[in-house]
Amino acid sequence: MRYLFENYALDTDRRELHRGADVVTIAPQVFDLLDYLIRNRERVVSKDDLINAIWDGRVVSDAALTTRLNIARSSIGDSGEEQRLIKTLPRKGFRFVGELREAQGPAAAASAGSPIEPPKPALALPDKPSIAILPFANLSSDPEQEYFADGMAEDIITGLSRSKSLFVIARNSSFTYKGKAVDIKQVGRELGVRYVLEGSVRNSGNRVRITGQLVDAATGTHIWADRYDSTLEDISICRIA
């Protein structure tokens, strides 16, 4: 996915920021910060939101966060004084306010004449609330915990599928987005759902933190978000029950 604004393009597949035909050198954390603000442009993003998304919930000073924001602004020709693209709302948070367009496929592929896969047609929404549960991200340093993150998403799919009042996308369909940078609106169109649940799992020793956020796929707005901290034993008991 490419996000186009002014003479810039943020390519989430290649993880590159372009200004015209040039690639702008940008640190990974600054890229992630820009990506997060743009994806969540329909709402005000709080400091805690940024810390959880970019720094995995680690303690970050206000000075460090301000530095990253200033670098992000500078990378796209903005500044703290102008706030033309990234606006600070005192005591509330931050929001990307620039006019933006979305484009499929990398710019390099288009310029080389390579065919770009056309977007999948939007599916009609069912006549009852519909939801897709995306694979949970494994934020632990141990790649072997991937199965645990997948298991949490599968358990939620199984639990919600028992409700006859909900239309729940099957695992095989929602897990095709595993490991990909996705646009929630695009997921909603391709799977034919109104709501998307995404989340993450992070293990540290015997402790586990599970976060989740429910998004309205039609508008991209967040409806609900929360996190759950517990021990692995408690999680295991809940899953067995």
Side-chain angles (χ1 to χ4, degrees):
M1 174 69 72
R2 287 183 296 133
Y3 296 100
L4 312 176
F5 52 97
E6 296 189 346
N7 63 329
Y8 291 86
L10 190 78
D11 190 329
T12 59
D13 295 323
R14 294 173 176 264
R15 290 185 61 81
E16 292 177 345
L17 175 66
H18 296 258
R19 181 176 58 242
D22 300 323
V23 176
V24 179
T25 302
I26 185 171
Q29 272 190 346
V30 177
F31 182 94
D32 291 339
L33 191 152
L34 273 174
D35 185 23
Y36 189 82
L37 287 173
I38 288 175
R39 289 181 186 275
N40 295 275
R41 59 190 178 277
E42 303 292 339
R43 68 183 181 96
V44 176
V45 173
S46 69
K47 171 187 172 183
D48 289 341
D49 289 335
L50 288 176
I51 291 174
N52 286 330
I54 312 302
W55 286 275
D56 296 341
R58 297 192 299 273
V59 176
V60 177
S61 68
D62 288 343
L65 178 57
T66 299
T67 298
R68 295 296 188 281
L69 280 167
N70 287 338
I71 295 174
R73 284 188 171 116
S74 177
S75 299
I76 55 177
D78 198 5
S79 68
E81 291 74 28
E82 290 184 72
Q83 297 191 15
R84 188 180 70 260
L85 298 173
I86 299 176
K87 186 174 181 61
T88 299
L89 291 88
R91 295 182 297 278
K92 292 184 179 180
F94 316 92
R95 187 179 177 190
F96 186 91
V97 294
E99 293 187 10
L100 184 142
R101 294 184 295 113
E102 298 179 4
Q104 297 289 336
S111 61
S114 301
I116 298 176
E117 182 180 352
K120 298 178 182 178
L123 298 178
L125 294 177
D127 56 1
K128 56 184 176 180
S130 51
I131 185 171
I133 292 83
L134 297 184
F136 277 31
N138 173 27
L139 301 183
S140 306
S141 57
D142 182 5
E144 301 231 347
Q145 294 298 325
E146 196 75 23
Y147 77 94
F148 183 79
D150 288 348
M152 292 305 304
E154 291 172 359
D155 285 350
I156 294 174
I157 292 173
T158 300
L160 293 179
S161 296
R162 296 193 184 105
S163 173
K164 295 182 179 180
S165 61
L166 286 177
F167 178 87
V168 183
I169 292 296
R171 177 197 185 280
N172 289 344
S173 296
S174 59
F175 268 58
T176 59
Y177 297 93
K178 182 175 174 63
K180 299 179 181 179
V182 298
D183 177 77
I184 296 299
K185 292 182 180 180
Q186 180 182 352
V187 172
R189 291 192 298 267
E190 293 178 351
L191 295 181
V193 294
R194 178 63 187 270
Y195 305 104
V196 173
L197 177 69
E198 56 182 356
S200 63
V201 174
R202 180 169 69 246
N203 288 358
S204 179
N206 192 42
R207 303 291 300 179
V208 61
R209 169 175 289 180
I210 302 170
T211 64
Q213 51 186 0
L214 182 65
V215 184
D216 186 325
T219 62
T221 57
H222 285 66
I223 299 173
W224 165 90
D226 205 350
R227 69 186 184 192
Y228 178 75
D229 294 290
S230 188
T231 63
L232 287 174
E233 288 82 359
D234 290 341
I235 296 295
S236 298
I237 291 173
C238 290
R239 293 181 69 183
I240 293 172

